[in-house]
């Protein structure tokens, strides 16, 4: 008896695992950003639907991170809420992003410019200079929903503590992190000076 074989063709291409995670993260960010901005205006889904022309059902799916709205839908929602698509899709910083001074390409005999961070904060900015004595700790802070803090260590050495996780920063190092998380700075045997910027989203 002869065997019968079936040529089923090549197997379907598998989607990279990170693609699904990335899409899910974007939907979750959109859901949270849309919900926060809608509630800040005291609007119900029905009221937002009437203002945007987007169905209440689709808006509900977006806020549950179950829908992939088109660019046209995002633009209509952003315009009514007084924001833009970038802000609606902005993902929160899950942990500090640190750039070490030693990693920068800065030739000794040339002028160099290094882009450290590019952000989309369009609201209020606060800029601080902080001088910490040896064995000091700054005040524990939290700056509100979607705020972002940038720190540059001008001199000395500090430990940035975000949600009880320590990050050691040397002179010249920079970090960016979600300022809505509980955070503070500490020093050991030497003093330190830092410059910090806190950016707030435009509501």
């Amino acid at each position: 008896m002869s065997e019968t074989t079936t040529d089923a063709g090549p197997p379907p291409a598998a989607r990279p695992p990170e693609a699904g995670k990335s899409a899910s993260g974007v939907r979750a960010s959109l859901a949270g950003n849309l919900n926060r901005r809608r509630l800040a205006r005291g609007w119900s889904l029905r009221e937002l639907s009437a203002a945007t022309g987007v169905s209440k059902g689709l808006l509900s799916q977006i806020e549950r991170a179950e829908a992939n709205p088109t660019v046209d839908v995002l633009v209509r929602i952003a315009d009514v809420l007084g924001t833009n698509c970038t802000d609606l899709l902005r993902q929160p910083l899950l942990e500090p992003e640190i750039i070490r001074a030693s990693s920068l390409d800065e030739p000794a005999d040339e002028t160099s410019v290094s882009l450290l961070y590019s952000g989309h904060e369009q609201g209020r900015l606060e800029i601080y200079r902080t001088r910490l004595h040896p064995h000091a700790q700054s005040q524990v802070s939290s700056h509100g929903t979607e705020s972002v803090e940038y720190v540059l260590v001008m001199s000395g050495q500090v430990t940035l503590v975000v949600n009880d996780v320590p990050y050691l920063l040397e002179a010249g190092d920079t970090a960016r992190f979600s300022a809505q998380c509980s955070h503070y700075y500490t020093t050991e045997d030497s003093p330190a000076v830092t410059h910090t910027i806190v950016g707030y989203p435009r509501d």
Side-chain angles (χ1 to χ4, degrees):
M1 180 181 293
S2 62
E3 294 183 355
T4 301
T5 60
T6 301
D7 184 4
R15 182 175 64 174
E18 291 303 320
K21 293 180 181 179
S22 176
S24 177
V26 171
R27 285 196 298 269
S29 297
L30 173 60
N33 293 334
L34 174 56
N35 179 261
R36 181 184 66 81
R37 291 182 178 278
R38 176 176 65 82
L39 294 180
R41 284 163 173 73
W43 288 0
S44 67
L45 285 172
R46 186 182 303 278
E47 290 170 321
L48 182 58
S49 174
T52 60
V54 179
S55 72
K56 177 183 174 183
L58 178 54
L59 290 172
S60 178
Q61 287 182 318
I62 294 173
E63 288 201 5
R64 296 198 306 269
E66 296 175 352
N68 292 315
T70 64
V71 172
D72 177 67
V73 167
L74 285 178
V75 169
R76 279 191 279 164
I77 294 172
D79 285 347
V80 167
L81 293 177
T83 184
N84 55 56
C85 294
T86 299
D87 279 349
L88 284 179
L89 296 172
R90 184 172 56 213
Q91 295 181 271
L93 293 169
L94 300 180
E95 61 182 34
E97 299 176 17
I98 297 173
I99 298 177
R100 301 294 180 186
S102 58
S103 71
L104 300 177
D105 183 15
E106 298 179 328
D109 58 346
E110 297 179 16
T111 297
S112 62
V113 177
S114 301
L115 174 63
L116 299 178
Y117 301 106
S118 175
H120 299 286
E121 295 77 24
Q122 298 183 11
R124 186 174 83 256
L125 288 178
E126 297 175 347
I127 303 175
Y128 300 91
R129 172 183 166 88
T130 303
R131 184 165 60 91
L132 291 164
H133 294 286
H135 303 288
Q137 176 181 312
S138 69
Q139 181 179 357
V140 178
S141 302
S142 178
H143 299 293
T145 303
E146 291 192 12
S147 57
V148 177
E149 184 161 331
Y150 301 78
V151 58
L152 167 61
V153 181
M154 304 299 295
S155 64
Q157 182 185 82
V158 301
T159 296
L160 164 65
V161 182
V162 180
N163 285 339
D164 297 323
V165 179
Y167 301 88
L168 180 62
L169 302 176
E170 307 279 353
D173 290 349
T174 62
R176 172 172 66 175
F177 59 94
S178 171
Q180 72 183 63
C181 299
S182 174
H183 62 278
Y184 59 91
Y185 300 89
T186 66
T187 57
E188 294 298 332
D189 296 331
S190 61
V193 173
T194 66
H195 287 178
T196 56
I197 298 175
V198 182
Y200 299 87
R202 182 182 61 191
D203 290 322

